[in-house]
Amino acid sequence: MCGIIGYVGDADETLSVLLDGLSNLEYRGYDSAGIAVGGDGLRVEKRAGELDALQTALDGETGDAIDGPVGVAHTRWSTHGPPTDENAHPHTDETGRVAVVHNGIIENYRELRDELEAEGVAFTSETDTEVVPHLVARELRAGRAPEAAVRTATERLAGSYALAVVVAGTDALFAVRHDSPLVLGVGEGESFVASDVPAFLERTRDVIYLDDDEFVRLDATGWTVTDADGDVVDKDVRTVEWEAEQTGKSGYDHYMLKEIHEQPVSLRQCISGRVDELDGRVTVEELDDLGSPETVQFVACGTSYHAALYGAQLLRAAGVSANAYYAHEYATAPAPLSGDDLVVGITQSGETADTLSALREASGRGAETLALTNVVGSTAARESDHVLYIRAGPEIGVAATKTFSSQLVGLNLLTAYLTDGGTERRLVDELRGVASDVQAVLDESTAADVVETFVDADAFFFLGRGFDYPVALEGALKFKEITYEHAEGFAAGELKHGPLALVTADTPVFAVVTGEGEAARKTIGNVKEVEARDAPVVVVTDGVADAGRYADYVLDVPTTDERLAPLLANVQLQLVAYHMAARLGRSIDKPRNLAKSVTVE
């Protein structure tokens, strides 16, 4: 969840590169930030709060300029200890010779801390990370060279970690990863290491994705990657396909609004080359070697879990046994596997710790695995047997928008491939038109006007059945994430089994009603139930079941295949959440307590 940026290059640029990198990583969520610049000596500055607080502290520095050929910086999201100056990264040893930034959790830190304190080491923070610089310093005192000291210290760690380390008097940076992402950036006369590509994308698009337990040394001569035994590893350099400009706001007030409006483009990218309108086929070359599984298990968290629920419904409707599981539950209590089973991990970043653990559990038990992800070269993509990229492009806003829509389309492609060879003409036609349908919703939505009526509401309910149910859950999640108001999503039929007790005239109910089948008719019945309790009702509908006649407000979507209609309804609910959050003055792109990539379990 935290952000790491490390740099080796021009001493005059180190500080600005680090600060720019931190700024580019703000979207990941954080509550403190800090830097360490090394060379002959080591200068460290860190502050609780946002980057402005760190910049103010740096502006107030007197004496020598903070420069040097090597440096690391970090944005922290608190786990061990609250956000304070002392708990912010980088952490140092007692002499200030070693500085460390860390993502992940050191699970045996208590044991290590007790050991170090028994030797007389004094700790200054509450974090698990601080054991690392003290371990490195102990190895340096024992006469080990800096690289060997970092390696030996790392061998003592249990848990998940991405570490970047600088040592005073050494113009090199050392980094290692284990169950936490780390990527190397290769520039002209400079090198980078970071938790995510946007940290250095303005300076290079050439990257190397590090695998677990790989160790990298960056210095003036370039970079070297070695394995746990110290043997050099030959790594491929990849070129990131998107430009730095794509991570800007492009004139929108917020990244989230920009990304909502990018959905027509991202959906076309997802479908491109995979839908042949002339032949009426879905073709997914990446899955050509995928067999015909007896059952499919989806594992995911958060927004991706809602996509998993949708994907499981798609497959069941097509006659394939399928279920969705929270990845964090699956990893500790996995579902039974038998026969030719496929486990699909859905993760936007490809680095979600819970989902990676679930996929590893499934793989260890003999299941075939597939990653549905947005990030090329991510850990999930590399470790799974198969990968289906959703091609949504960079998403900076913490609240997922365009990636969710692309996940839904990707799941339709997967279902078509697994069930009928992708030869269903109607689905092919509707997939080709889904981007235009989303554009119509964006052009015609009245969501901004609707939310004005409910600014002072007590709580918000979201209802749906069948394919509309996961979208109702996602609508509630988006709403609570960025408005900070209480919102709950329900299977529409569950309303009368308890939640109806909470419905009042101050409880707006958003009901998703698409198609004209039994699910739509029964959801209309639930709308009548809340209407009888004087609750205001907003119906998101394609109009097929005439649900609008029972609503106080209607948010329209175009008519399409019943499997794709929820995707269009979701766009309306994204706009509902966005406009309410804007109306309330919330921090939309960086909602409190949340992070973009959840890389700890």
Side-chain angles (χ1 to χ4, degrees), residues 256-473:
M256 182 180 179
L257 185 60
K258 170 179 176 273
E259 288 154 5
I260 289 173
H261 281 267
E262 285 177 340
Q263 286 175 114
V265 173
S266 62
L267 294 177
R268 290 189 179 97
Q269 292 172 171
C270 183
I271 295 167
S272 177
R274 294 166 168 173
V275 174
D276 190 325
E277 192 171 14
L278 292 177
D279 292 340
R281 294 184 60 84
V282 170
T283 57
V284 188
E285 292 182 2
E286 303 98 303
L287 304 182
D288 281 348
D289 58 345
L290 179 64
S292 300
E294 292 182 5
T295 64
V296 177
Q297 297 178 354
F298 291 97
V299 291
C301 304
T303 287
S304 293
Y305 175 71
H306 299 153
L309 288 173
Y310 173 84
Q313 288 190 8
L314 283 177
L315 283 169
R316 290 197 297 268
V320 178
S321 176
N323 284 291
Y325 301 90
Y326 282 116
H328 40 77
E329 296 294 330
Y330 189 96
T332 54
L337 290 168
S338 61
D340 296 322
D341 296 326
L342 175 68
V343 177
V344 180
I346 305 179
T347 160
Q348 184 281 133
S349 66
E351 304 292 351
T352 308
D354 298 311
T355 306
L356 290 174
S357 292
L359 285 169
R360 290 164 181 161
E361 172 67 29
S363 181
R365 296 168 63 219
E368 199 169 12
T369 57
L370 184 151
L372 185 77
T373 184
N374 191 39
V375 181
V376 176
S378 59
T379 302
R382 298 196 308 273
E383 292 188 2
S384 297
D385 299 314
H386 313 275
V387 59
L388 179 58
Y389 291 113
I390 63 172
R391 304 174 179 169
E395 185 177 68
I396 303 301
V398 168
T401 51
K402 65 177 181 177
T403 53
F404 180 66
S405 296
S406 293
Q407 285 172 345
L408 300 192
V409 167
L411 288 165
N412 274 281
L413 297 173
L414 176 63
T415 300
Y417 182 88
L418 290 177
T419 56
D420 61 10
T423 58
E424 187 181 343
R425 165 67 70 174
R426 185 186 177 203
L427 177 63
V428 168
D429 291 343
E430 298 294 354
L431 279 171
R432 294 280 295 181
V434 70
S436 296
D437 288 340
V438 168
Q439 188 63 58
V441 173
L442 294 170
D443 291 342
E444 301 169 13
S445 176
T446 58
D449 296 328
V450 169
V451 301
E452 281 293 332
T453 312
F454 306 127
V455 170
D456 296 321
D458 292 336
F460 300 81
F461 286 180
F462 293 76
L463 309 179
R465 280 179 189 263
F467 292 126
D468 293 333
Y469 169 54
V471 167
L473 295 180

